[in-house]
Amino acid sequence: PVFFFFQSEAEGRSVTGALNFDPAPDAQTLYKAMKGLGTDEQAIIDVLTKRSNMQRQQIAKSFKGQFGKDLIESLKSELSGNFERLIVALMYSPFKYDAKELYDAMKGVGTSEGVIIEILASRTKAQIKEIIKAYKEEYGSDLEEDIKSETSGYFEQILVCLLQGERDNATLYVDTTLALQDAETLYAAGEKIQGTDEMQFITILCTRSATHLLKVFEEYQKLAGKSIEDSIKSETRGSLEDAMLAIVKCTRNVHCYFAERLYHALKGAGTHDGTLIRVIVSRSEVDLNLIKAEFKRIAGKSLSSMILILNLVKAHYSF
């Protein structure tokens, strides 16, 4: 359902929006596409995937003004499956979309830890602040309290620390003495002792800037004779391990992190369509082209070609 994001891949563009934009005719096109029997899905694709998020918000406003209907609700009533999921995702503003994904990850039976980790580990301080605000406005609930109620132990603590957004206090200056001290603290908290002092890892990973952490990882490698990733893998398990590794990967190269998320969503048994949709929609106006370049390096083939092959297989076997 996400292949049409790549129709202009040869030009290397992600979603940039339409020039000479007027929301009124777009709203009329969408109304006609959903009026009467059947739905003109191609018309919906042609409009919504070629507009920026800000333009889609204006289309929704025009749709409500002209026809007295909520565009998202109209789309939901006409569409189904992953196509509905994608088109509805396009209609949310970025912060409301992240808030929705977090809410959906926690509601019902079980919690989708991977979704929460992905969003909180990859967003900036300013973005997290807006997500918390949007979550409160949309669901009348406190995001931190909901996360606390759905998680526990060190995993809960690392998510709550990420919510504070301290990691994004970026500066070009790095205190090399403090970086070495942090590396020694991490080494002493893991490889050097029986067991692991998880809170030391959580505190340093969640409160230091990316530039500082890169120096810490460099010094840690010298001390431990192994990467911080390898130590995390040997010292922790489960969702806590996933969260720590996500922070490290986002610190080293956030584009590579998302490329890996997409690669793992596409390979192996089953396909995680939710991850595909969320990553592509949320990064389409941010850094999708850079993610696509990293994906090709990792997978040896383009993201669009893998998605196209997957869609053909699904259509053939009626998945």
Side-chain angles (χ1 to χ4, degrees):
V2 293
F3 179 68
F4 33 76
F5 269 96
F6 302 94
Q7 301 297 327
S8 61
E9 187 172 352
E11 292 85 0
R13 294 197 305 266
S14 56
V15 175
T16 54
L19 297 172
N20 304 315
F21 171 70
D22 181 356
D26 281 350
Q28 290 161 15
T29 299
L30 293 174
Y31 181 75
K32 288 172 189 171
M34 294 184 281
K35 190 179 179 183
L37 292 173
T39 303
D40 186 349
E41 294 183 350
Q42 190 59 49
I44 294 171
I45 291 168
D46 289 343
V47 170
L48 297 182
T49 64
K50 293 177 174 63
R51 306 293 182 264
S52 69
N53 188 276
M54 189 175 293
Q55 289 172 344
R56 291 193 289 268
Q57 303 310 312
Q58 291 176 259
I59 292 167
K61 188 175 180 182
S62 179
F63 190 91
K64 185 73 172 278
Q66 290 186 71
F67 309 110
K69 293 183 176 183
D70 183 273
L71 180 52
I72 290 180
E73 293 307 315
S74 295
L75 289 165
K76 283 180 178 178
S77 69
E78 293 292 327
L79 309 176
S80 62
N82 280 323
F83 184 61
E84 176 196 343
R85 189 172 184 175
L86 171 65
I87 295 300
V88 168
L90 288 172
M91 291 310 305
Y92 280 88
S93 62
F95 303 127
K96 284 186 179 180
Y97 181 51
D98 280 345
K100 176 186 180 297
E101 288 294 289
L102 288 168
Y103 179 79
D104 289 347
M106 290 185 283
K107 75 174 184 181
V109 178
T111 303
S112 300
E113 287 93 350
V115 176
I116 303 172
I117 292 167
E118 177 196 302
I119 293 173
L120 297 188
S122 64
R123 301 319 191 242
T124 66
K125 180 177 186 174
Q127 288 169 340
I128 286 175
K129 188 176 179 181
E130 291 297 329
I131 292 165
I132 292 169
K133 183 180 172 185
Y135 191 92
K136 184 76 172 179
E137 288 173 356
E138 291 295 301
Y139 307 108
S141 185
D142 184 82
L143 179 55
E144 183 175 325
E145 291 305 314
D146 284 359
I147 285 175
K148 284 179 178 177
S149 70
E150 293 295 326
T151 58
S152 61
Y154 290 120
F155 181 54
E156 174 195 327
Q157 290 182 47
I158 198 168
L159 295 180
V160 170
C161 284
L162 285 173
L163 270 178
Q164 310 315 308
E166 296 303 319
R167 223 162 31 94
D168 196 44
N169 289 330
T171 173
L172 293 175
Y173 171 75
V174 175
D175 185 335
T176 53
T177 303
L178 179 59
L180 178 58
Q181 184 181 313
D182 282 346
E184 289 170 344
T185 300
L186 290 175
Y187 182 56
E191 295 290 333
K192 208 172 177 182
I193 61 168
Q194 189 80 21
T196 309
D197 185 349
E198 287 88 352
M199 279 312 300
Q200 292 286 7
F201 275 81
I202 291 170
T203 300
I204 291 171
L205 290 176
C206 292
T207 61
R208 305 293 195 256
S209 72
T211 47
H212 179 88
L213 282 177
L214 288 174
K215 185 64 176 174
V216 173
F217 300 159
E218 183 187 319
E219 295 296 338
Y220 185 90
Q221 178 90 37
K222 294 175 190 174
L223 280 171
K226 64 196 295 189
S227 69
I228 189 72
E229 289 96 329
D230 286 341
S231 286
I232 288 169
K233 287 173 187 175
S234 65
E235 295 293 323
T236 59
R237 295 287 181 273
S239 296
L240 178 62
E241 176 189 344
D242 293 341
M244 286 186 180
L245 288 175
I247 294 169
V248 173
K249 287 174 182 177
C250 286
T251 300
R252 289 196 191 276
N253 186 336
V254 71
H255 311 120
C256 185
Y257 169 71
F258 281 118
E260 287 183 11
R261 289 284 290 169
L262 291 169
Y263 180 66
H264 291 300
L266 282 164
K267 68 187 283 284
T271 305
H272 300 281
D273 290 317
T275 298
L276 284 178
I277 292 169
R278 184 176 56 258
V279 172
I280 290 172
V281 169
S282 66
R283 310 308 291 191
S284 63
E285 294 179 47
V286 183
D287 53 6
L288 185 56
N289 288 327
L290 295 170
I291 293 166
K292 287 193 286 186
E294 288 291 340
F295 185 94
K296 192 164 189 176
R297 184 182 63 81
I298 293 166
K301 59 182 73 174
S302 71
L303 177 58
S304 59
S305 68
M306 280 192 73
I307 290 173
L308 178 58
I309 291 165
L310 173 71
N311 285 346
L312 291 171
V313 169
K314 283 189 173 184
H316 182 73
Y317 290 103
S318 300
F319 287 168

